[in-house]
Structures are given as C-alpha cells and as structure tokens.
Amino acid sequence: MNETTDTTELRDHIEISHLISGFFRALDEQTFEEGWAESYFTDDVRMTTPLGVAEGAEAVRHMEESVGRFAATLHMSSDVLVRIAPGARTADVSWNAHKTHLHLDSTLWARGEGADSRFTVGGVYEGTFRRTGRGWRIGDLSVRAVWTSGQPPVLPEETAARVAELTGAGRS
C-alpha cells in the first residue's frame, strides 16, 4: 500500500458512509421529491427486504410506500464496513441499523386500546455500491432483521398476501 491508495480508500469510505447517512435521512424526512433516488441509487438498483425483491423504480416506490406506513421513523447506522479492491469500481458494504418506527393513528385505532405506538427493528444491511460518474451509488441492497420489538404496520391486503406467500404463513 502507498499513501495514494490509503487516501483513496479513506475518501471512498467517507463518501460511502455519507451516502448511507443521507439515504437514512431521506427516509426519515420522507421528502421524496422527483429524482431524489438518483442521489443514492443506480437506475437498476435491486433491493431485497423481508417483503420481497424489487428492482429499479419499483424498488424506490416500494421503499417510499414502506416508510409512508408510519407517522415517523428514525434510522441509525453503525459499524459501516467497506471492502474495495484497489482500482475497483464496486464496493461490498455492510452496516448495522437500528430503526424506530412510530405507527400512524389509523394503525393504532385499528389495533385498539393499548396498542404499542412503536415498531423497532435491529438489522443488517448488505450491498454492492458502484462508483459512477455521479459518485458512489447503491446498486444492490438487502436488509435482514435480526430482531424486532412491537408489531409491524398494518399492511394493505395485497402486500399482506405477498408476505404470507413469501414466508409460508398460513400453510399447514
């Protein structure tokens, strides 16, 4: 390793960490203006979540809908690990996340008196980031819940049916 390689690796790590922080901030602020996703994702981004796999614009729309099921969210990231081979245009990235979600009043009403207003998730994100002409962007991302506390949001019927299909819920 030489000083130039060390400086490049450090700069890449900082840029990628900043991208993750900005992505989480965008989710929490829910300010999904036209073109917001271009700051964080490649056009062909692929996302894998407990609700399934989506690509491109569908993945972005799914993410917007997911956080829109809550009155507020707070996503925190830690332990960002970045692995880039010297001169590579992609990076393998992983980080831990603690995500707190506050339910909408309609969810609390549907669940009745005494419903917990919070749904909290501890999880791990893993992905492949790509160096583009616009800087680092997320090209592939998966999230895995390690633990949860509270109940998830009330899902639309079609989404709930898809989750049941993916998880095998309701099978004898």
Side-chain angles (χ1 to χ4, degrees):
M1 289 235 160
N2 60 42
E3 192 172 318
T4 302
T5 302
D6 290 343
T7 302
T8 300
E9 286 179 12
L10 181 59
R11 186 178 62 243
D12 288 339
H13 191 284
I14 291 169
E15 288 176 14
I16 288 170
S17 294
H18 184 75
L19 184 71
I20 292 166
S21 295
F23 163 56
F24 273 3
R25 179 68 55 89
L27 292 180
D28 292 338
E29 291 177 354
Q30 295 188 31
T31 52
F32 304 126
E33 297 166 359
E34 184 72 29
W36 79 273
E38 294 171 4
S39 297
Y40 305 102
F41 308 106
T42 61
D43 293 338
D44 62 346
V45 63
R46 176 182 168 91
M47 292 190 196
T48 305
T49 72
L51 298 179
V53 178
E55 296 182 8
E58 179 187 356
V60 172
R61 192 171 40 260
H62 169 78
M63 190 179 347
E64 292 171 0
E65 290 170 0
S66 292
V67 296
R69 291 187 183 110
F70 297 99
T73 62
L74 182 63
H75 292 74
M76 295 183 286
S77 61
S78 68
D79 305 324
V80 176
L81 300 175
V82 177
R83 291 167 299 285
I84 308 172
R89 302 209 46 85
T90 62
D92 293 323
V93 182
S94 65
W95 69 94
N96 296 327
H98 185 268
K99 306 176 287 184
T100 302
H101 310 80
L102 297 180
H103 286 298
L104 294 167
D105 288 341
S106 58
T107 298
L108 297 174
W109 181 84
R111 293 211 168 115
E113 192 173 325
D116 189 349
S117 63
R118 280 188 302 221
F119 175 56
T120 308
V121 180
V124 176
Y125 282 77
E126 296 178 306
T128 302
F129 287 43
R130 286 190 226 149
R131 189 187 313 264
T132 72
R134 300 173 300 169
W136 286 101
R137 295 295 184 265
I138 302 168
D140 185 63
L141 188 62
S142 67
V143 60
R144 176 177 47 89
V146 175
W147 58 266
T148 64
S149 176
Q151 291 182 296
V154 174
L155 298 175
E157 273 187 49
E158 64 276 0
T159 305
R162 179 73 177 132
V163 170
E165 178 185 313
L166 290 169
T167 62
R171 292 186 190 160
S172 306

